[in-house]
Amino acid sequence: MTSRRVSLAFILLSICAPGRADESPIDFEKQIAPIFEQHCVRCHSPASNKGDVSLATFDDLKSNDYVIAGDPDDSYLIELVTSQDGEPPAMPKEAKPLSGAEVDLLRHWVQQGATWPDG
């Protein structure tokens, strides 16, 4: 009976362990693109690249270190959408801020290498 408890405890820990969400690959098209479409593309597209930032390609985000694949702490995009020192996030301007879950998805996407599909 003790070995069953140990096995059950191991299974529960592996399911509930912190960081487990990081192990699941973020799907750009299903999880990240909708965030960009809802909150960012209106102002940051090739037709309207306010702040000289466009979300048309990953190269546009890599320029000026907006996204540093694998390093969300040094990616300017994450800083822009996160509250700083009690102040509201800088982006999106004049719109509802991203939810905590959306910011977490962006952070995990960057941590996982910020994959961006061709096309």
Side-chain angles (χ1 to χ4, degrees):
M1 183 127 140
T2 303
S3 66
R4 285 185 182 169
R5 287 183 187 166
V6 171
S7 296
L8 180 59
F10 178 75
I11 290 168
L12 289 173
L13 282 173
S14 66
I15 291 171
C16 300
R20 175 127 170 99
D22 295 356
E23 295 172 15
S24 299
I26 301 295
D27 184 318
F28 178 86
E29 292 178 16
K30 291 180 182 174
Q31 295 173 285
I32 302 303
I35 295 171
F36 288 160
E37 288 170 9
Q38 182 179 2
H39 297 283
C40 311
V41 173
R42 181 184 64 215
C43 296
H44 300 289
S45 66
S48 174
N49 65 350
K50 292 184 179 180
D52 295 326
V53 177
S54 169
L55 295 173
T57 68
F58 185 66
D59 287 339
D60 292 331
L61 278 180
K62 282 192 324 187
S63 65
N64 299 317
D65 298 328
Y66 276 91
V67 172
I68 301 171
D71 191 357
D73 293 332
D74 285 333
S75 294
Y76 190 48
L77 172 69
I78 303 302
E79 181 180 329
L80 287 171
V81 299
T82 305
S83 296
Q84 303 292 321
D85 299 322
E87 294 293 320
M91 292 289 153
K93 284 195 183 245
E94 301 174 16
K96 181 179 172 188
L98 276 65
S99 70
E102 290 169 323
V103 172
D104 286 344
L105 273 173
L106 288 175
R107 176 175 284 286
H108 293 313
W109 172 67
V110 173
Q111 180 66 45
Q112 292 177 359
T115 57
W116 186 295
D118 293 334

